[in-house]
Amino acid sequence: GQNIDQPTEMTATEGAIVQINCTYQTSGFNGLFWYQQHAGEAPTFLSYNVLDGLEEKGRFSSFLSRSKGYSYLLLKELQMKDSASYLCAVLDSNYQLIWGAGTKLIIKP
Amino acid sequence: TAGITQAPTSQILAAGRSMTLRCTQDMRHNAMYWYRQDLGLGLRLIHYSNTAGTTGKGEVPDGYSVSRANTDDFPLTLASAVPSQTSVYFCASSDEGGGGSSYNEQFFGPGTRLTVL
């Protein structure tokens, strides 16, 4: 079966750095996405990785290791508005997105 | 541009009744998707359409049907609602779907919160 694992919940302090991990086992791999979802809202795109390595985009970076079936999302200089759920999703061999359950990130002052 | 709109925003429905959730996009995207999102579970694909005139089944299609008469609209119908269909439903679209696209960022509508009693 196909499986995406990420922690259910994490807590971090405003101004700090947090790393949200995602491990996956899917039938094929055509890329990994990270989305942000604020409570009661729709998911919005953050990043896409298809090759190994780190992609940096402002305060957010995403890393991929295809051999390990592993990705992480790194958030720097945390702000209160970063409190949200972060969803990891893998594009499988049929180009269907397989979604993790999401990590709820709580930012404390 | 509006992007993707969904209607209604929320609905309470009696079990056994039928309902159509509406979804319209103005980005001229080929592919559209319907997901349901339940607490503790990831987004689960119900049905999808790679292009107007074609549809396909996702992970949890039972009890739902879709049609794609044109590029912009992708309605989801519950023929006879059951309480287990209580969920938040998201419609999404992407520029391409399946078969050769390696990067199909999906854009989501605001969601429909459905309660079946």
Side-chain angles (χ1 to χ4, degrees):
Chain A
Q2 309 208 85
N3 197 47
I4 311 278
D5 284 319
Q6 44 182 140
T8 303
E9 187 175 295
M10 299 181 70
T11 301
T13 304
E14 189 177 15
I17 299 173
V18 71
Q19 177 175 311
I20 302 174
N21 295 325
C22 171
T23 57
Y24 62 89
Q25 290 177 308
T26 56
S27 57
F29 179 85
N30 283 300
L32 186 143
F33 292 80
W34 284 97
Y35 279 75
Q36 180 189 60
Q37 185 177 24
H38 284 101
E41 297 183 7
T44 55
F45 170 80
L46 285 178
S47 68
Y48 170 76
N49 294 69
V50 67
L51 299 176
D52 291 350
L54 188 68
E55 295 276 346
E56 295 186 77
K57 218 189 247 188
R59 293 190 299 114
F60 292 8
S61 302
S62 56
F63 171 83
L64 175 68
S65 169
R66 288 171 296 171
S67 62
K68 295 182 179 178
Y70 168 71
S71 172
Y72 67 73
L73 181 69
L74 190 71
L75 291 73
K76 303 176 185 176
E77 301 169 15
L78 286 169
Q79 302 174 9
M80 297 303 293
K81 68 178 182 180
D82 297 330
S83 292
S85 289
Y86 292 86
L87 314 181
C88 174
V90 171
L91 202 58
D92 72 6
S93 56
N94 294 318
Y95 292 95
Q96 298 291 349
L97 270 179
I98 310 300
W99 296 82
T103 299
K104 182 178 180 181
L105 178 63
I106 300 167
I107 310 295
K108 295 186 174 179
Chain B
T1 61
I4 300 184
T5 58
Q6 292 184 235
T9 303
S10 65
Q11 182 75 44
I12 299 174
L13 188 66
R17 300 296 295 268
S18 67
M19 177 169 185
T20 295
L21 280 60
R22 300 184 298 278
C23 174
T24 300
Q25 54 106 356
D26 63 2
M27 296 176 283
R28 307 303 293 172
H29 284 168
N30 286 327
M32 297 187 75
Y33 313 84
W34 273 106
Y35 292 95
R36 59 177 290 171
Q37 187 175 41
D38 302 290
L39 198 63
L41 299 176
L43 287 161
R44 291 183 291 169
L45 184 65
I46 304 170
H47 285 287
Y48 66 93
S49 169
N50 286 334
T51 189
T54 69
T55 62
K57 293 182 179 180
E59 180 187 356
V60 288
D62 294 343
Y64 306 95
S65 63
V66 291
S67 61
R68 186 88 183 277
N70 57 60
T71 297
D72 299 344
D73 301 300
F74 191 43
L76 176 74
T77 297
L78 288 68
S80 179
V82 295
S84 62
Q85 292 178 310
T86 293
S87 187
V88 179
Y89 291 85
F90 286 103
C91 179
S93 72
S94 65
D95 218 358
E96 293 187 47
S101 172
S102 62
Y103 178 17
N104 60 345
E105 173 194 346
Q106 294 184 11
F107 297 83
F108 285 79
T112 294
R113 184 174 297 275
L114 179 66
T115 303
V116 182
L117 301 175

